Structure formats: C-alpha cells, structure tokens
Amino acid sequence: MSDDVTMDQIVSLSRRRGFVFPSSEIYGGMGSTFDYGHYGVLMKNNIRELWFEAMVRNRDDIVAIDSAVILHPKVWEASGHVAGFTDPLIDCRTCKLRFRADKLEDSSCGLRPSKHPGETPECDLTEPRRFNLMFETTVGALQEEGSRAFLRPETAQGIFINFKNVLQIARRKPPFGIAQVGKSFRNEITPGNFLFRVREFEQMEMEFFVPPDEAEKWYRYWIDERLNWYRHYGLRDSKLRVREHGPEERSHYSRGTSDIEYDYPIGWSELEGIANRGDFDLTQHAEHSTTKLEYVGQDGERYVPYVIEPAVSIERIMVAMLVDAYDEEVVGERERTVLRLHPKIAPVTAAILPLIGKSDEMVAKARSLYEDLRRRHSVEYDDNGAIGRRYRRQDEIGTPWAFTVDEQTLEDDTVTVRDRDSLAQERIPIAGARDWLEDALERDWKSPRGN
Ligand code: GAP
C-alpha cells in the first residue's frame, strides 16, 4: 500500500470515474470551477447527511435553518465583511497574473514557473492593495443606488440574523445551536488544488450560543467532537491534527480559533475551523439593525450569548477523504486502485453482480436482490464484462461490498459477499442479504491503511 498520494492521482480518478468534472469544459473550462458527476453527488450527499445526523438529528440542543444566499447588504456591513473580508493582492505588470501578497511563496511566476513572483528580473510587481472577496450582484432590474448586494461568503451570518426567531419560536435557551448547510461564494484570488480552494463551495456551519462564562468549555468540547467525527468516518489519526491560531492570525471576530488540519498532498492545511466568536456578531447585528439580540431568562437574567462555531466545507472533507482512501496495490499480479472509504461515505454501498452476465437465471436472481436492496440503500447492478473487471470498477469507486450470484445460488439460494478491503469472500443466504448489509454498515470501521 502506498502512502504518497498526489493531488493529480485524485483529480484523475475523480474525473475518470465521474466524481468531479472541470466545469464548462465544452467552452474551454473555467479555472478552478467544478461540476459533480453521479458518484460525486452520492458521496457529497453522504457527507452532508452524516454531518447533519451528528450535528442536528442526534442532538436535542441544535436546530436547523436554511437562510437566503442574498441577504440585506447591511448584514455584511455589520459583520465586518464589507470593510474587512479582503486579501492583499499584487499584480505583475509583465505576466499579467494576480497573486496574494501573503502567499507569494506558494505561487509560481507566470514567465518562469520554477520561480516565485518577484524572483526574476522581468517580474514587475505592483504594491499590495486590498481586494474584497465577496461576489457583488444587483438585485432587481435596475443597476441603481441601493440595488447592490452580495452572494454570501459564509452561511454563518444567515444564522445570526435569525437568532431572535429561533430563540422565540423554537423556545431555546443557551446552550443551544443553529446549523446550516448551503453554498457560499468567495472570489478567491488564488483558487486551486482541486476542490481545496474554490470560489463556490458548500459550507456546513453550526453556531452554538452559550453563556459567556461557559464559552471556553464549549470551545474545547466542539474541537473534540469534530475531531472524533473525522476519526469515526475513517480519517487516519496520523493525518489529523489540531492547530491553535496565535492572536495575530485570528479573524477580527475571534477570541480563539483552532483548525483541524489534514495532511493533504499540499501539506498540513485547514480542514475545519472551530472559533470562539464571543458576542461579536450578535452585538454588531443588534447595533446595526437596532433589534435587541440577547437572551432574557425567566428570572430576568439577561446577556448576549457567546458563540462557538465549527465551520467546514463539503469540498475540503471530500478531498481529505479521497486522499485518505486512495490506494494502489498488486493482487494476483494485477494492479488495482481502490478507494478505502468508510462504508457510510462510499457512494455505492454494495454492487450486485451475476457471475455470468449472459445467464438469464443468474441475471433474474441478481436483479431481484438489487430491486430489494435499492429501496433502502445506494446499490448498483452490473452484468457487463468479466467479473474481475467489474470488481475493479467497484474498487475504484470505493464500493465496500459486492454480492455475486453464481452457479451455487441457483442450487441453494446463497450468494457470495466480497469485501473490498480484505478481498475475503463469504457465502450467505440471499434472503439474509439485506440484514447482512445493515449489520455491516453499523460495524466500526478502521482504515486498513493503518493509523
Ligand atoms: N464562518 C466562518 C468561516 O467561514 P472560514 O475559515 O473562512 O470561516 C470555514 O471558512 C471553512 O470553510 C474552512 O475551514 C473550509 O473548510 C471552508 N472553506 C473556506 N473557504 C473555502 C474555499 N475557498 N473552498 C473550499 N472550502 C472553503
């Protein structure tokens, strides 16, 4: 098993097997923008669903919300995004490329890619200037004063402006949380590394409102919870770490931030951020909207809650999980590429394969099993080509189990179950296949690639 996975291998597999395509390809492509194919959609759905299960469905103290993408422009003034959501930008007058001033070390010169911008005599760099990352749009038919709006750069603000609604209607009392999943948009100067930094991504954020004197406790609690979620869904311990920001690195709203980092092929980088946002957001929105945003207890106790925020994008999780799962090995003198994904993350849970695709009896049995399993699970039927090739196709998309209907099935109504990771095969009654699958999905799973 190899551990040196490159981003190119992940991009190539994702494209070859229809997880992710470069967007607008027939028009020449649009840099760093991607479309998701069938397996990509299934995998994203699983990640979103498992996040929602952990953050909302399995808890009594968190509710969901789905706010608009285009909010009142004053939201972004209050939040500090209009004034401060900027990156320092530098242009090169020679190669016409644009760079982040704080990331020159990670960028390549447009004329000589082996050099960094500014390192060759031909480089002619401008002074850094602030560039706001929010996408602007106009609301309504006229481009007039007052019609300027923004696509949200984070889902969090849609939660803060609904704090009062949730407090009153869902009758909540701190500590409680509001969770949201949805697209966010950032006009990144240097997007790249596949899905790692894109301009349009699906964020999953949860704002946990707590009494101020409990903020530190909940901040630590959420770091642990989120780290354990990644471990549970198979990311290896050796590839995960928590890095606490120093005061100079923190965002304007933060009283403490820790990144859960993953050891991506580009090096240790932020997978998810957990921040103690203090009372910054509620105080700002209260001031700008002149609406009181505070908790008032039955005994008259009154305070502005502090907020602990775990925030991540499905894209960063997807890259981490694909990288962690990607493996190549030689089995019986043949190479196979296998995605060792957690069974609940894998786009297809089981394949149903008649050993001989031309056998009407095997096809009938296999199709009947497929019809039964598809009602509850993401399963795939395949009778096309040699059985070895069909197994390899499933290995490449990470399908953990394959049920094969063979000669013996016709005699005693049993099927074999092949395990993607161990390649072990066991024989079970076809009538028990659904229960077998449901039990297998609930078993603890650890990456066979180690810790
Ligand atoms: N509400 C806080 C917030 O948005 P952030 O650190 O800017 O904080 C949170 O973003 C998470 O969103 C990051 O940890 C990352 O998982 C994801 N994210 C941010 N920018 C992204 C981008 N351009 N492409 C993909 N994911 C991104």
Side-chain angles (χ1 to χ4, degrees):
M1 296 183 195
S2 87
D3 207 31
D4 300 325
V5 181
T6 65
M7 205 62 109
D8 283 347
Q9 283 171 303
I10 301 301
V11 173
S12 154
L13 175 95
S14 298
R15 197 210 156 100
R16 190 167 72 245
R17 298 316 318 270
F19 282 75
V20 181
F21 306 113
S23 183
S24 313
E25 239 185 335
I26 61 169
Y27 288 100
M30 181 151 166
S32 300
T33 311
F34 297 93
D35 297 334
Y36 291 84
H38 183 65
Y39 296 131
V41 172
L42 295 180
M43 185 170 167
K44 261 184 10 146
N45 286 350
N46 290 343
I47 293 170
R48 189 189 306 106
E49 172 55 27
L50 293 170
W51 183 89
F52 195 84
E53 176 186 82
M55 302 300 273
V56 181
R57 204 141 43 80
N58 284 354
R59 301 186 63 106
D60 296 326
D61 54 359
I62 302 181
V63 295
I65 203 154
D66 187 3
S67 72
V69 166
I70 299 174
L71 303 174
H72 195 295
K74 281 193 177 160
V75 169
W76 306 110
E77 281 169 29
S79 68
H81 283 81
V82 169
F85 194 54
T86 56
D87 275 343
L89 179 146
I90 280 181
D91 286 306
C92 176
R93 297 187 190 91
T94 312
C95 70
K96 311 286 181 223
L97 287 186
R98 191 160 268 191
F99 307 101
R100 262 176 69 170
D102 55 338
K103 298 271 179 198
L104 291 183
E105 293 293 293
D106 303 334
S107 313
S108 300
C109 162
L111 294 184
R112 288 213 255 150
S114 61
K115 300 273 181 199
H116 300 304
E119 280 188 352
T120 80
E122 295 86 25
C123 296
D124 182 8
L125 303 183
T126 62
E127 285 300 307
R129 63 195 163 84
R130 304 305 305 185
F131 173 78
N132 196 298
L133 300 185
M134 283 196 294
F135 276 105
E136 269 187 50
T137 187
T138 37
V139 174
L142 295 176
Q143 283 208 5
E144 59 189 13
E145 197 51 36
S147 66
R148 185 170 86 128
F150 304 97
L151 304 190
R152 67 179 174 201
E154 62 172 15
T155 58
Q157 298 303 324
I159 296 178
F160 296 128
I161 59 172
N162 277 291
F163 171 76
K164 199 172 165 200
N165 286 334
V166 176
L167 201 64
Q168 286 173 349
I169 291 159
R171 288 179 294 115
R172 296 287 154 172
K173 173 180 186 309
F176 78 96
I178 308 177
Q180 163 150 245
V181 179
K183 284 263 174 136
S184 290
F185 303 84
R186 295 183 188 181
N187 198 359
E188 300 280 3
I189 303 170
T190 48
N193 292 312
F194 190 38
L195 302 171
F196 183 83
R197 190 178 304 285
V198 278
R199 296 198 170 102
E200 181 181 334
F201 51 96
E202 197 167 334
Q203 255 189 333
M204 305 195 289
E205 298 195 286
M206 194 278 293
E207 309 303 323
F208 202 69
F209 301 92
V210 301
D213 60 353
E214 292 181 17
E216 182 61 20
K217 177 184 90 181
W218 286 108
Y219 171 57
R220 301 285 156 203
Y221 168 88
W222 280 110
I223 295 171
D224 288 349
E225 280 290 296
R226 296 302 304 146
L227 192 59
N228 286 336
W229 189 85
Y230 291 109
R231 290 182 178 136
H232 182 77
Y233 289 108
L235 292 190
R236 288 167 292 166
D237 252 354
S238 58
K239 299 280 175 181
L240 285 166
R241 73 178 185 195
V242 175
R243 189 181 66 80
E244 187 131 18
H245 289 203
E248 68 302 333
E249 197 188 343
R250 284 185 210 143
S251 308
H252 58 284
Y253 52 74
S254 166
R255 288 167 181 252
T257 298
S258 290
D259 288 344
I260 297 180
E261 294 190 330
Y262 181 78
D263 188 9
Y264 291 95
I266 50 171
W268 287 99
S269 308
E270 177 181 350
L271 164 60
E272 167 158 355
I274 294 107
N276 173 357
R277 299 182 71 123
D279 59 3
F280 177 83
D281 303 274
L282 292 182
T283 305
Q284 285 292 107
H285 287 303
E287 241 176 57
H288 283 71
S289 68
T290 64
T291 304
K292 274 205 167 129
L293 298 175
E294 59 183 8
Y295 169 73
V296 184
Q298 281 176 342
D299 53 3
E301 171 200 24
R302 146 191 314 262
Y303 61 86
V304 179
Y306 275 25
V307 174
I308 310 302
E309 173 196 72
V312 66
S313 68
I314 296 187
E315 283 74 4
R316 294 244 172 128
I317 298 181
M318 195 155 164
V319 179
M321 288 187 166
L322 288 172
V323 166
D324 215 76
Y326 186 96
D327 205 359
E328 288 174 355
E329 66 176 2
V330 177
V331 182
E333 293 178 9
R334 290 191 55 188
E335 271 194 15
R336 72 164 184 157
T337 301
V338 52
L339 281 185
R340 301 186 190 277
L341 291 167
H342 187 285
K344 287 191 174 173
I345 298 286
V348 175
T349 311
I352 294 93
L353 315 170
L355 183 66
I356 301 168
K358 291 202 170 74
S359 158
D360 290 345
E361 286 168 294
M362 288 187 203
V363 165
K365 289 260 182 211
R367 283 215 68 97
S368 145
L369 177 58
Y370 168 63
E371 293 300 337
D372 178 37
L373 295 181
R374 75 190 294 189
R375 286 187 288 143
R376 296 231 195 128
H377 299 283
S378 170
V379 290
E380 200 167 270
Y381 172 84
D382 185 7
D383 61 14
N384 190 0
I387 191 73
R389 283 194 31 215
R390 281 183 270 157
Y391 283 143
R392 271 163 187 66
R393 276 206 291 267
Q394 296 298 332
D395 289 341
E396 264 202 327
I397 60 165
T399 308
W401 300 291
F403 294 101
T404 306
V405 169
D406 55 16
E407 283 89 356
Q408 197 175 325
T409 314
L410 306 181
E411 288 163 20
D412 63 5
D413 271 335
T414 59
V415 284
T416 62
V417 193
R418 172 190 182 266
D419 184 277
R420 173 197 70 199
D421 297 326
S422 65
L423 294 175
Q425 304 225 7
E426 74 177 287
R427 192 162 268 283
I428 60 162
I430 206 165
R434 199 199 304 171
D435 285 348
W436 187 97
L437 194 58
E438 270 152 32
D439 287 349
L441 270 171
E442 292 313 317
R443 273 184 232 137
D444 275 349
W445 184 88
K446 279 252 163 260
S447 172
R449 306 188 68 207
N451 264 330

